[in-house]
Amino acid sequence: MECVVQGIIETQHVEALEILLQGLCGVHRERLRIHEICLKSGPNLGIVSSEVRLLCDIEQPEPTWTVRHVGGSMRGAGAEQISVLIRTVVESKASKNVLRLFYALGYKLDHELLKVGFAFHFHRGAQITVTVSSVNKMLKLHATDDAVPVTPGIQLVEVTAPATSENYTEVVAAVSSFCEYLAPLLHLSKPGISTGVVPTAAAAAASLMSDGGGTTL
């Protein structure tokens, strides 16, 4: 399973966010260019529809493929009271023939996206990944070079951390604590809960840009 929160930030403030993340994480960013293909099962695979995402990392000299299935989220009174979504996730590396395989199984293309940006991977109470990306749609099938932004001027920020049924409480605490440092620039919440941009972002970004990120926290 994984713990996840999301938020949005205006593109003009992304550089300031990168400076802040660099200071917080103490590691270098990794460039991100992911072609995401969302497939849904056909009627021959059962009454209940299933969805899988094929992620192709085209930033690498030799593109790599990952199959990702996101299951249900934790429910109940306890889950409602925390600000982080806990959900089941299954991932597996795959060969370049994976799309052909899923088509043969009866899956159909639902939509595809191109996510371009950067990511930080670090340990801070848990193994945390922060991705900042522009989400783009393809005007033609698989035409990543011609992709256009879904929401011009806005980028998606996602914070994730792997967890187990034994340690998810500690992971939730680590993610929540880390997100507090980003609060002046953006608000992070469970996926699907839109909170918009933060009114203080412009002032916080200006401060970060003026001092170059300050000291590592």
Side-chain angles (χ1 to χ4, degrees), residues 65-117:
W65 289 84
T66 301
V67 181
R68 179 177 172 87
H69 176 263
V70 177
S73 58
M74 183 178 290
R75 299 183 181 276
E80 295 296 327
Q81 293 171 3
I82 60 177
S83 59
V84 176
L85 182 72
I86 304 169
R87 64 190 183 189
T88 57
V89 172
V90 178
E91 280 191 352
S92 176
K93 295 297 183 183
S95 75
K96 62 183 180 181
N97 298 317
V98 65
L99 180 57
R100 188 182 308 168
L101 169 65
F102 274 93
Y103 281 158
L105 290 173
Y107 280 80
K108 305 294 183 183
L109 175 66
D110 185 67
H111 66 272
E112 56 181 340
L113 301 168
L114 177 67
K115 295 181 177 179
V116 181

Side-chain angles (χ1 to χ4, degrees), residues 16-146:
L17 176 60
E18 183 182 348
I19 289 173
L20 177 59
L21 288 171
Q22 183 74 62
L24 288 168
C25 307
V27 297
H28 294 294
R29 71 171 194 173
E30 294 181 9
R31 292 178 60 183
L32 190 76
R33 190 174 176 85
I34 302 292
H35 181 194
E36 181 176 304
I37 302 173
C38 179
L39 303 173
K40 290 193 175 179
S41 59
N44 62 309
L45 294 173
I47 300 174
V48 179
S49 176
S50 66
E51 178 181 294
V52 296
R53 294 176 183 269
L54 308 183
L55 311 178
C56 182
D57 184 353
I58 56 179
E59 180 63 31
Q60 303 302 319
E62 184 68 28
T64 58
W65 289 84
T66 301
V67 181
R68 179 177 172 87
H69 176 263
V70 177
S73 58
M74 183 178 290
R75 299 183 181 276
E80 295 296 327
Q81 293 171 3
I82 60 177
S83 59
V84 176
L85 182 72
I86 304 169
R87 64 190 183 189
T88 57
V89 172
V90 178
E91 280 191 352
S92 176
K93 295 297 183 183
S95 75
K96 62 183 180 181
N97 298 317
V98 65
L99 180 57
R100 188 182 308 168
L101 169 65
F102 274 93
Y103 281 158
L105 290 173
Y107 280 80
K108 305 294 183 183
L109 175 66
D110 185 67
H111 66 272
E112 56 181 340
L113 301 168
L114 177 67
K115 295 181 177 179
V116 181
F118 58 87
F120 285 91
H121 307 278
F122 57 96
H123 193 276
R124 194 183 181 94
Q127 192 60 44
I128 297 175
T129 296
V130 181
T131 60
V132 183
S133 61
S134 168
V135 181
N136 304 272
K137 60 184 177 181
M138 261 66 81
L139 302 179
K140 296 180 181 179
L141 185 65
H142 306 333
T144 55
D145 291 339
D146 300 323

